[in-house]
Amino acid sequence: MWCISDFEIGKPLGKGRFGAVYLARSKETHFILALKVIFKSAMEKAQLEHQLRREIEILCHLRHPNILRMYNYFHDQTRIFLMLEYAPRGELYKELQKKKYFDDTRTATYMEEISEALIYCHAQKVIHRDIKPENLLLGLRGELKLADFGWSVHAPSLRRTTLCGTTDYLAPEMIAGSPHDENVDVWCVGVLCYECLAGYAPFEAATRLETFRKIREVNMTFPSWMSDGARDLISKILNRTPSLRLPLKAIIEHPWILNHSSSDLSMRRSPM
Ligand SMILES: CC(=O)NC[C@@H]1CCN(c2c(Cl)cnc3[nH]c(-c4cn(C)nc4C)nc23)C1
């Protein structure tokens, strides 16, 4: 059984609502990882123990190059520790803030990587439900790492916990409180693709209610600089009817993705 004294704790990598994430190194093997520390008291107060248990259960079994690994977990009297893969190039949203927006190659590569990760998750009947730039990290070669499965569930599901955080990525069926399935993740891929290329989310508005209305009506316009291929892909994903959204397997075969993605996976699929 692991314990906190097995590690040397480095700089804090980020603060979450229930604790913080620290860079850590195993004293014995010098293996570097990200140690997420969660205070039991904070979880109990928010009645989110079941959600954390589910995150741990789900994440421990997922193995994919574009999903942040959870190696193990342990706890002491007051805290729960998640031993997570360390993503050396940090958070996608910080990169997007710095660059303002990404070009077609970078965005198409991210879309292919997140689609592959979600194809893998959905094959295990796991839906993430919280895809957004804040939950995406970058690996050693700049590849996308899907993280923070705190909201993931086994499909199909009805949301029980109140929504919090950004509303920009909510799918219409989530706003309506209707039963939802894997297609909520597909919707988020469309919103993410738009935000990476435009530098802002497609349904951004002054108030939550305004954003909800724009989402329900799929009311969005494309910036002049967005390529026709990207507009075509985004329009085929952001469909109000979940079952009419372009499936993930069709997203990674879309001409705009095939033309622009440089992810390692696509090299394997269509070698020179
Ligand atoms: C998805 C999520 O849980 N985000 C909140 C936590 C913030 C740092 N967390 C990291 C987690 Cl959980 C894993 N790897 C990380 N790498 C970094 C990072 C690297 N640089 C150069 N800068 C940073 C920051 N951060 C992490 C996650």
Side-chain angles (χ1 to χ4, degrees):
M1 213 28 198
W2 291 90
C3 77
I4 186 64
S5 60
D6 294 330
F7 300 96
E8 284 155 336
I9 305 299
K11 64 172 182 173
L13 294 169
K15 300 237 177 294
R17 273 183 304 165
F18 302 106
V21 180
Y22 298 89
L23 190 58
R25 182 174 79 171
S26 149
K27 285 177 181 165
E28 195 190 330
T29 63
H30 281 194
F31 187 81
I32 297 279
L33 48 78
L35 199 61
K36 190 169 187 176
V37 183
I38 298 161
F39 287 94
K40 289 183 180 177
S41 55
M43 293 311 283
E44 277 142 20
K45 213 171 290 159
Q47 277 108 36
L48 287 177
E49 303 96 309
H50 70 281
Q51 195 160 312
L52 177 66
R53 220 181 300 282
R54 189 168 52 211
E55 176 182 0
I56 292 172
E57 198 38 50
I58 286 171
L59 209 44
C60 270
H61 293 92
L62 295 179
R63 307 271 159 104
H64 187 279
N66 299 115
I67 295 176
L68 196 80
R69 269 296 303 280
M70 182 189 296
Y71 305 116
N72 212 320
Y73 64 97
F74 56 93
H75 63 96
D76 65 14
Q77 211 64 0
T78 57
R79 297 163 296 181
I80 299 161
F81 300 89
L82 309 184
M83 294 164 64
L84 298 169
E85 175 185 357
Y86 171 63
R89 290 170 64 167
E91 298 170 283
L92 180 81
Y93 87 90
K94 282 193 186 141
E95 189 70 13
L96 188 52
Q97 274 174 349
K98 194 170 80 177
K99 294 249 164 44
K100 294 294 162 249
Y101 52 83
F102 299 142
D103 62 24
D104 282 32
T105 301
R106 192 183 173 110
T107 303
T109 304
Y110 287 153
M111 291 313 112
E112 167 145 37
E113 290 167 341
I114 191 159
S115 297
E116 297 280 2
L118 290 170
I119 287 169
Y120 172 82
C121 288
H122 294 175
Q124 333 260 330
K125 295 309 281 173
V126 171
I127 45 180
H128 187 280
R129 293 201 313 176
D130 198 14
I131 310 282
K132 57 187 177 187
E134 293 77 358
N135 286 342
L136 299 169
L137 297 165
L138 297 167
L140 195 59
R141 300 155 54 102
E143 76 278 19
L144 214 58
K145 297 271 181 183
L146 178 54
D148 202 350
F149 280 69
W151 280 89
S152 57
V153 285
H154 282 96
S157 153
L158 253 180
R159 171 176 46 79
R160 267 184 288 283
T161 323
T162 48
L163 296 170
C164 49
T166 175
T167 51
D168 285 321
Y169 278 72
L170 285 176
E173 61 272 24
M174 288 287 269
I175 294 176
S178 336
H180 49 272
D181 58 11
E182 291 85 347
N183 288 306
V184 295
D185 286 341
V186 176
W187 172 274
C188 294
V189 170
V191 177
L192 180 69
C193 188
Y194 183 106
E195 181 165 1
C196 285
L197 290 166
Y200 52 85
F203 307 111
E204 247 171 39
T207 66
R208 267 170 87 104
L209 279 179
E210 181 64 17
T211 298
F212 285 171
R213 196 179 54 72
K214 292 176 84 171
I215 290 171
R216 266 200 305 272
E217 294 165 2
V218 194
N219 166 8
M220 68 175 166
T221 56
F222 294 112
S224 58
W225 66 81
M226 200 178 279
S227 64
D228 292 344
R231 292 171 192 232
D232 180 70
L233 175 60
I234 292 167
S235 308
K236 287 175 177 158
I237 296 175
L238 295 184
N239 190 307
R240 206 192 137 132
T241 310
S243 58
L244 296 181
R245 291 170 197 156
L246 199 65
L248 293 165
K249 287 190 168 47
I251 291 177
I252 57 177
E253 303 295 334
H254 187 277
W256 182 76
I257 296 283
L258 294 178
N259 290 341
H260 294 282
S261 170
S262 61
S263 91
D264 297 349
L265 295 154
S266 64
M267 295 307 169
R268 259 203 299 280
R269 196 188 326 283
S270 44
M272 299 305 283

